[in-house]
Amino acid sequence: MRLTATNMGLPVSPLLKPEDLVQAMHMRTVSDGSGPSYPPEFGFSPLDGASLQAVRARGAVWIPPGGAQSLDAPLAHLAVGLQQSTQSIDNTSLQGGEADREPELEMTSPPPGAYEFFSAPFGTCANVLIAIDASKGAVFAWLPASRIWQPLAGEDALLSECNLAHRVWRAELMVQFNSCLFLPTENGLALLQPDFASLKYRVAYIGEGAAQAAPVAFEKRVWAPVADRNGKIKIVNVDTDGVAGPPLLLDGIHDIGEVSRPVAYGRIAVWPCKKGQVCLQTGADGTVTASFIPWQQDITPYFEFGTPYLSRAGVLWQLCFSTTEDTYVYVRLGTSRWERVAALTPRLCSGTVNYRFSTMYPGVDPWLEPEHGDDGAANAVVFPLLELNGSGVLALKMPSTSSLTALLNSHEKMRSELIFEDRSSEFVIQTIALQQPWDMRLFFYQDSLWAYHPSMQRIIGWNVAA
């Protein structure tokens, strides 16, 4: 018995080995794996009555770049758009051994490009791994038994390219049997459904022009600013079933400048940009309205130092520079009632954790200076990549005696340490020499942590089952 067609009605690709389908579809075999495979509903072999066992793939869903939740997830108290994941790990599994040792796991990289990785059901019972090069509109699937990447072809239309840089790009996902990705493209907000077994995908678009920024989940819908045919910017939106709602128009706004990743918390969603803030706000009657709030005249935002900061009071703050005060300031997002706090130095931030050079300050406002000592002469900088669910931070530690701005503009190859750090400990997972190491993408797949960088010839990984 073999699978011949997918749930989307497409023929199964002959490029998949039977073992690839057994894992992806939770198909059942006898305990030693011999003999035919059967659908997951079968408990016993129809040939001899032998008990059947499922080959179950492990691991949680992963949505890049920071491990966002599915659109229907009940965790409404979490902020959206920060580098925060609900993923937990057993950090003891990462300790031990030399930092220069060979990593435990590896897989080949997809063809040359710059990829983002998704782990979810894509016409499968198990989570499978999909890689997307947004700049090329290229989609690949990892075949776990064959251990190769195979391209997915568009069934009715092709995935449009996206010109957003990695540091401002993000995506949303609705997890279901045929999970749907929501991606920014030059053709609007794309709704992409990869179909693993057929090695094809279907795509539809919301909006008439290019997405000006990445999408964000807010009020159980996905929102993205898109330029219309006349150059006006509209906030298009779509629900979890893929049904578009009426777009919200930003009156008189044609150019918002460079845009950072959006963030949402509570009743506001914000796209910080060079010229101001594109905001969504939920009113008392549940209606969502859109507005554009220009920065004050002396304010210039800085996006290269990471995400906005989420304070313990539930307020989002953007790092900026004030020419009037001649200092860095943190400006409150999502309100026209301006509130700013001066800061001596910029901090590298992932959400609720910030680093002053190489010192971690979890839950401490980034404008507060250390009460004891001064690490201004530190010879290292730590760039936080991902906050884990109550279990620390994954970050890159780099030697540097220059300013943060000079470091982040450097194209020199530098020796970096991928580290784990929490309130009580710090250890090195792996030492890697790369140009612009902060372009590293971390993702989780099959109970393992993986690290990818566009300049690396392979993807490396470690077992981290929680």
Side-chain angles (χ1 to χ4, degrees):
M1 184 176 294
R2 64 188 181 91
L3 184 67
T4 59
T6 71
N7 189 56
M8 293 173 64
L10 303 175
V12 172
S13 171
L15 298 176
L16 273 72
K17 290 182 178 179
E19 294 81 4
D20 294 313
L21 289 172
V22 166
Q23 292 188 36
M25 304 306 296
H26 286 173
M27 298 180 74
R28 290 178 173 266
T29 62
V30 295
S31 58
D32 63 1
S34 64
S37 302
Y38 297 98
E41 296 80 9
F42 282 47
F44 300 92
S45 170
L47 298 179
D48 56 14
S51 178
L52 300 176
Q53 296 182 353
V55 178
R56 295 198 175 273
R58 309 173 309 279
V61 167
W62 178 260
I63 307 170
Q69 295 297 290
S70 174
L71 291 178
D72 61 346
L75 302 175
H77 63 283
L78 294 179
V80 177
L82 305 178
Q83 290 298 103
Q84 296 177 318
S85 172
T86 58
Q87 180 77 38
S88 298
I89 66 171
D90 176 12
N91 61 60
T92 59
S93 63
L94 294 171
Q95 292 179 276
E98 297 295 327
D100 291 322
R101 71 189 186 282
E102 278 294 300
E104 297 175 24
L105 307 169
E106 69 172 63
M107 67 173 77
T108 58
S109 292
Y115 291 88
E116 308 289 347
F117 297 85
F118 296 82
S119 175
F122 293 111
T124 55
C125 297
N127 294 331
V128 293
L129 189 62
I130 296 292
I132 297 179
D133 184 341
S135 67
K136 299 182 178 69
V139 186
F140 287 81
W142 173 251
L143 308 188
S146 305
R147 297 196 61 76
I148 57 172
W149 292 97
Q150 285 288 357
L152 272 65
E155 170 66 9
D156 302 312
L158 298 179
L159 178 63
S160 176
E161 300 89 346
C162 175
N163 291 330
L164 297 179
H166 164 67
R167 70 180 178 87
V168 304
W169 183 97
R170 69 181 305 276
E172 297 287 358
L173 185 144
M174 176 63 189
V175 177
Q176 52 199 8
F177 186 81
N178 289 109
S179 297
C180 182
L181 301 172
F182 300 84
L183 308 170
T185 75
E186 288 300 289
N187 204 39
L189 177 64
L191 281 62
L192 178 73
Q193 285 189 294
D195 193 39
F196 175 82
S198 68
L199 293 182
K200 292 187 177 182
Y201 63 79
R202 287 178 178 158
V203 64
Y205 296 95
I206 307 294
E208 301 172 340
Q212 303 298 293
V216 66
F218 181 63
E219 300 291 3
K220 296 297 182 182
R221 304 183 74 85
V222 177
W223 306 76
V226 173
D228 67 11
R229 294 173 182 173
N230 299 317
K232 295 181 179 179
I233 297 176
K234 296 179 178 179
I235 313 297
V236 301
N237 64 93
V238 61
D239 66 14
T240 56
D241 294 320
V243 179
L248 303 181
L249 181 64
L250 290 177
D251 292 330
I253 304 299
H254 293 76
D255 180 20
I256 55 178
E258 178 192 356
V259 182
S260 184
R261 285 177 183 156
V263 290
Y265 188 74
R267 290 164 59 174
I268 64 165
V270 182
W271 287 268
C273 49
K274 279 295 183 184
K275 297 188 176 183
Q277 307 170 48
V278 177
C279 298
L280 298 176
Q281 184 158 11
T282 306
D285 61 354
T287 302
V288 176
T289 57
S291 62
F292 181 77
I293 305 173
W295 299 114
Q296 290 176 295
Q297 190 171 4
D298 67 322
I299 290 295
T300 300
Y302 277 74
F303 302 137
E304 58 265 41
F305 297 107
T307 72
Y309 167 68
L310 178 63
S311 72
R312 291 183 179 272
V315 176
L316 290 162
W317 299 84
Q318 175 63 50
L319 176 66
C320 302
F321 190 85
S322 166
T323 54
T324 300
E325 301 177 54
D326 193 28
T327 187
Y328 288 100
V329 294
Y330 282 86
V331 177
R332 182 171 180 169
L333 292 177
T335 178
S336 57
R337 299 189 299 273
W338 291 106
E339 186 175 346
R340 62 167 86 177
V341 185
L344 289 180
T345 59
R347 302 282 181 93
L348 293 167
C349 183
S350 52
T352 57
V353 172
N354 63 84
Y355 277 85
R356 188 182 190 276
F357 301 107
S358 60
T359 303
M360 182 175 75
Y361 292 94
V364 177
D365 295 336
W367 50 83
L368 297 178
E369 290 299 306
E371 293 183 6
H372 305 286
D374 180 11
D375 57 359
N379 59 2
V381 168
V382 174
F383 194 105
L385 296 175
L386 186 66
E387 296 178 22
L388 299 169
N389 183 24
S391 57
V393 178
L394 295 168
L396 284 170
K397 190 171 188 177
M398 299 157 283
S400 176
T401 55
S402 58
S403 69
L404 287 180
T405 300
L407 174 68
L408 296 176
N409 288 326
S410 172
H411 292 272
E412 294 182 4
K413 196 171 187 177
M414 58 186 75
R415 186 177 175 87
S416 306
E417 296 174 340
L418 177 62
I419 66 169
F420 173 90
E421 185 172 9
D422 59 19
R423 294 175 183 270
S424 60
S425 64
E426 174 194 329
F427 59 84
V428 179
I429 302 170
Q430 193 77 38
T431 301
I432 309 170
L434 295 167
Q435 287 182 329
Q436 297 185 313
W438 45 87
D439 277 343
M440 179 177 288
R441 284 82 152 152
L442 300 179
F443 64 93
F444 288 87
Y445 170 62
Q446 290 192 344
D447 284 346
S448 298
L449 167 67
W450 299 86
Y452 162 84
H453 191 281
S455 67
M456 290 168 54
Q457 295 182 348
R458 59 178 179 165
I459 303 171
I460 56 177
W462 306 267
N463 289 309
V464 290

